[in-house]
């Protein structure tokens, strides 16, 4: 099969009705796509992987099923092992090696995209003007976006070998062009 982000979106939205989950997929896709460009990698395949990483979460919302029980579905659909292996590797509980750049980037962008998204949702201008400094401050407030695993945010930047500030800035910038799709306000339409 030809791996495209549109095809991945089609698979994702067939299994996922939740707007929040679809937005999470889009936020991670934007960040991973940004890194694919920076590292001159296969952007279409990286974007597809990011869109698919939680595709089965709605039907498998527990860690005894997600994402491992999603893998056979992807195989059935004809997704290449490179994509499926990367999808599986994002899950901490499976303890799989993150031995490719795609696996590293996916892991590094997953929790942080969710966190930056949460930061943007409580600001009148969304992620416009959002500084790494204030993201880091919020990371230290356990009650804010409590579901985001801080240790995975820090471990992701380290695994990728990037400064946390740069990583936050990259993820923030990646989300700006799709702010509307992510339900974020912008400087242009701030109330
Ligand atoms: Fe997941
Ligand atoms: Fe995720």
């Amino acid at each position: 099969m030809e791996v495209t982000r549109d095809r991945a979106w089609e698979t994702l939205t067939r299994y996922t009705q939740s707007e929040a989950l679809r937005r999470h997929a889009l936020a991670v896709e934007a960040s991973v796509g940004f890194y694919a460009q920076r590292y001159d990698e296969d952007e279409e395949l990286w974007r597809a992987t990011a869109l698919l990483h939680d595709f089965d979460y709605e039907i498998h919302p527990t860690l005894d099923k997600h994402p491992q029980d999603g893998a056979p579905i992807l195989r059935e659909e004809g997704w290449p092992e490179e994509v499926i292996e990367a999808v599986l590797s994002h899950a901490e509980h499976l303890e799989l090696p993150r031995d490719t750049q795609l696996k590293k980037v996916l892991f590094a962008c997953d929790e942080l995209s969710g966190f930056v998204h949460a930061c943007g949702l409580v600001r009148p201008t969304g992620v416009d003007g959002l500084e790494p400094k204030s993201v880091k401050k919020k990371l230290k407030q356990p009650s804010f976006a409590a579901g985001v695993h801080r240790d995975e945010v820090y471990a992701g930047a380290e695994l990728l070998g990037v400064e946390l500030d740069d990583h936050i800035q990259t993820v923030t910038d990646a989300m700006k062009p799709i702010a509307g799709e992510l339900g974020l306000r912008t400087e242009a339409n701030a109330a």
Side-chain angles (χ1 to χ4, degrees):
M1 76 180 291
E2 199 200 342
V3 175
T4 64
R5 68 81 58 198
D6 286 350
R7 204 168 207 149
W9 176 254
E10 199 275 314
T11 296
L12 169 70
T13 52
R14 195 150 22 87
Y15 289 94
T16 305
Q17 308 312 314
S18 150
E19 186 173 55
L21 278 173
R22 288 183 180 191
R23 282 177 169 167
H24 169 62
L26 287 171
V28 178
E29 181 206 3
S31 305
V32 168
F34 204 99
Y35 275 110
Q37 284 183 14
R38 178 179 295 174
Y39 297 149
D40 198 21
E41 294 279 355
D42 186 341
E43 185 178 349
E44 202 72 21
L45 184 137
W46 281 36
R47 283 183 175 271
T49 304
L51 283 173
L52 291 171
H53 84 281
D54 280 336
F55 93 98
D56 71 326
Y57 194 75
E58 200 168 284
I59 55 168
H60 301 143
T62 52
L63 293 184
D64 61 323
K65 293 201 166 71
H66 167 76
Q68 56 272 33
D69 288 5
I73 300 174
L74 296 179
R75 241 168 237 133
E76 184 80 12
E77 285 202 7
W79 292 95
E81 283 305 308
E82 186 183 359
V83 169
I84 297 168
E85 264 187 37
V87 165
L88 287 169
S89 76
H90 88 270
E92 282 286 74
H93 65 282
L94 297 181
E95 295 179 5
L96 296 167
R98 298 195 178 102
D99 51 4
T100 67
Q101 199 68 354
L102 172 57
K103 292 177 188 177
K104 290 176 186 170
V105 168
L106 178 61
F107 176 69
C109 292
D110 189 6
E111 295 292 289
L112 184 59
S113 302
F115 193 78
V116 170
H117 196 181
C119 291
L121 287 171
V122 299
R123 297 177 75 252
T125 59
V127 291
D128 283 350
L130 176 62
E131 306 264 359
K133 186 172 47 146
S134 63
V135 174
K136 285 199 295 187
K137 207 166 141 193
K138 283 210 153 57
L139 279 169
K140 294 195 184 115
Q141 300 169 7
S143 59
F144 182 81
V148 173
H149 299 103
R150 272 53 173 181
D151 49 343
E152 291 182 28
V153 170
Y154 301 125
E158 198 170 317
L159 179 70
L160 205 51
V162 292
E163 291 295 330
L164 184 58
D165 282 75
D166 294 345
H167 188 37
I168 292 170
Q169 190 67 60
T170 301
V171 165
T172 304
D173 287 343
M175 285 164 57
K176 286 175 186 169
I178 57 159
E181 287 167 80
L182 298 178
L184 296 165
R185 285 170 290 186
T186 63
E187 254 152 29
N189 67 16

